[in-house]
């Protein structure tokens, strides 16, 4: 069995070297590992190409003529892969221990396995967002925090973070791969909903993990609004009402705004006001 890592890049030349160094440092399956980078028409493609050519000549680099989104880029990579198992990986992911042999062994020992998720870390000592809630409301947010704290996962309640997960190539193609109507955000939710319709198992391997620091990205109103639009699309696909999705998200951000106000974080309150108004305008 072979494992193909797919990494989609967009102006990621400053990140890719550290990512690839960690991949090959902890390669515990030798020639069974295939690494494919799909660049989504980046402005720094020449820098990326130079890094790969000089330091990682065994990596396959594909230049996408047009940036059609994260999902489409991954689909290109999967179509050009030779592995039976796919590992979707963001270019800012860093491995800190071997994971590949365990992933392949799990798929081999359990042929019904569809997808494997792992622990996401901010640092090696701090747990990140390993999984995301499928439903969104203040109550669900509270449940998610509790489950994160006790490290409890349920495929009926959560989907794994799209930053790094392993999936059966057969299952991925059976459900239609990533929906290319989604440019960015909520791809993992949409894929999760479709995988649940198959007769198989989704596994959370707590002994495996990766670093994906997101806390230092700051508060980006534009990204939140874009993510909201993707969430509405995915929820409508799965039979969830747009109005309910909007109201649930409004409730969450109102709670976050109240918390920020109580803590005296005026700048955060102002930013949350912009998010709330942006969501209201989606009605």
């Amino acid at each position: 069995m072979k494992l193909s890592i797919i990494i989609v890049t967009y102006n990621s030349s400053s990140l890719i070297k550290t990512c690839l160094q960690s991949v090959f440092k902890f390669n515990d399956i030798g020639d069974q590992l295939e690494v494919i980078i799909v660049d989504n028409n980046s402005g720094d493609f020449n820098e990326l190409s130079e890094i790969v050519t000089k330091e990682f000549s065994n990596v396959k680099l594909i230049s996408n003529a047009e940036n059609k989104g994260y999902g489409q880029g991954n689909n290109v990579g999967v179509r050009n892969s030779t592995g039976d198992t796919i590992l979707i990986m963001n270019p800012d992911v860093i491995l800190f221990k071997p994971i590949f042999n365990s992933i392949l062994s799990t798929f081999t020992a359990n042929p019904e396995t569809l997808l494997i998720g792992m622990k996401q870390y901010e640092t090696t000592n701090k747990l990140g967002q390993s999984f995301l809630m499928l439903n969104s409301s203040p109550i669900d947010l509270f449940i998610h925090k509790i489950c994160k704290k006790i490290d409890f996962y349920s495929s009926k309640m959560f989907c794994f973070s799209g930053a790094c997960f392993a999936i059966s190539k057969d299952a991925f193609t059976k459900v239609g791969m990533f929906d290319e109507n989604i440019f960015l955000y909520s791809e993992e939710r949409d894929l999760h909903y479709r995988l649940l319709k198959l007769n198989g198992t989704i596994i959370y391997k707590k002994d495996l993990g990766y670093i994906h620091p997101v806390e230092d990205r700051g508060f980006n109103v534009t990204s939140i609004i874009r993510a909201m639009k993707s969430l509405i699309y995915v929820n409508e696909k799965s039979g969830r009402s747009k109005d309910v999705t909007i109201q649930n998200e409004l409730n969450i951000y109102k709670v976050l705004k109240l918390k920020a106000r109580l803590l005296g974080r005026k700048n955060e309150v102002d930013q949350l006001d912009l998010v709330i108004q942006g969501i209201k305008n989606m009605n």
Side-chain angles (χ1 to χ4, degrees):
M1 184 176 281
K2 194 171 186 177
L3 175 69
S4 296
I5 298 179
I6 311 298
I7 304 173
V8 173
T9 57
Y10 182 71
N11 295 329
S12 308
S13 62
S14 62
L15 302 169
I16 198 64
K17 185 174 179 178
T18 302
C19 174
L20 292 177
Q21 284 176 336
S22 73
V23 165
F24 290 108
K25 178 181 180 180
F26 294 107
N27 177 13
D28 56 352
I29 57 174
D31 292 339
Q32 290 175 280
L33 180 67
E34 175 181 58
V35 181
I36 298 173
I37 295 176
V38 179
D39 183 75
N40 270 347
N41 197 24
S42 296
D44 66 349
F45 179 76
N46 289 338
E47 291 87 342
L48 174 68
S49 180
E50 184 175 2
I51 291 171
V52 172
T53 301
K54 288 185 176 180
E55 303 187 44
F56 306 98
S57 57
N58 53 340
V59 171
K60 184 174 184 178
L61 177 59
I62 299 172
S63 177
N64 232 353
E66 184 180 353
N67 183 3
K68 295 183 178 180
Y70 180 74
Q72 188 269 349
N74 273 295
N75 288 347
V76 169
V78 172
R79 291 189 186 101
N80 283 273
S81 67
T82 60
D84 305 295
T85 302
I86 302 297
L87 185 69
I88 301 295
M89 180 182 285
N90 282 8
D92 55 348
V93 163
I94 303 169
L95 299 184
F96 60 94
K97 61 180 177 180
I99 63 172
F100 308 137
N101 184 58
S102 179
I103 288 171
L104 289 183
S105 297
T106 300
F107 276 106
T108 301
N110 306 280
E112 75 284 356
T113 302
L114 303 173
L115 183 146
I116 294 173
M118 299 163 279
K119 282 189 180 181
Q120 181 183 115
Y121 292 84
E122 286 286 329
T123 67
T124 52
N125 298 315
K126 185 177 181 181
L127 196 63
Q129 297 286 355
S130 304
F131 40 82
L132 313 172
M133 54 188 179
L134 293 174
N135 296 315
S136 55
S137 72
I139 293 176
D140 290 308
L141 188 64
F142 177 70
I143 292 172
H144 178 259
K145 286 186 176 182
I146 293 176
C147 291
K148 176 186 174 183
K149 188 171 184 179
I150 64 176
D151 207 15
F152 171 80
Y153 170 81
S154 165
S155 63
K156 302 298 183 183
M157 298 167 60
F158 308 111
C159 65
F160 293 115
S161 166
C164 188
F165 64 87
I167 187 169
S168 156
K169 187 176 184 178
D170 180 61
F172 188 65
T173 54
K174 273 184 180 177
V175 298
M177 309 178 81
F178 281 122
D179 183 340
E180 296 184 9
N181 290 311
I182 304 171
F183 186 84
L184 189 64
Y185 302 120
S186 281
E187 299 92 350
E188 62 270 84
R189 280 189 180 88
D190 179 61
L191 183 64
H192 185 90
Y193 287 136
R194 287 181 279 137
L195 286 173
L196 288 178
K197 296 177 182 178
L198 298 182
N199 184 24
T201 306
I202 295 174
I203 296 175
Y204 178 34
K205 286 191 70 66
K206 299 182 180 183
D207 58 321
L208 303 183
Y210 61 93
I211 296 172
H212 184 240
V214 295
E215 287 188 354
D216 59 353
R217 291 183 181 181
F219 197 100
N220 189 308
V221 176
T222 302
S223 294
I224 291 173
I225 297 302
R226 171 177 273 182
M228 183 65 196
K229 291 178 180 177
S230 295
L231 179 62
I232 289 171
Y233 171 78
V234 170
N235 280 356
E236 285 190 309
K237 272 185 66 178
S238 59
R240 292 164 171 81
S241 163
K242 175 182 177 180
D243 292 339
V244 171
T245 299
I246 289 175
Q247 190 57 57
N248 283 340
E249 291 296 312
L250 280 174
N251 291 339
I252 286 176
Y253 283 105
K254 286 176 181 177
V255 170
L256 294 176
K257 177 184 171 182
L258 176 60
K259 178 182 176 182
R261 178 172 286 155
L262 291 173
L263 293 173
R265 298 171 180 170
K266 184 181 183 308
N267 185 53
E268 189 175 332
V269 170
D270 293 341
Q271 289 177 317
L272 286 166
D273 272 333
L274 292 175
V275 171
I276 290 169
Q277 188 56 53
I279 295 174
K280 286 180 177 178
N281 291 339
M282 294 179 186
N283 278 309

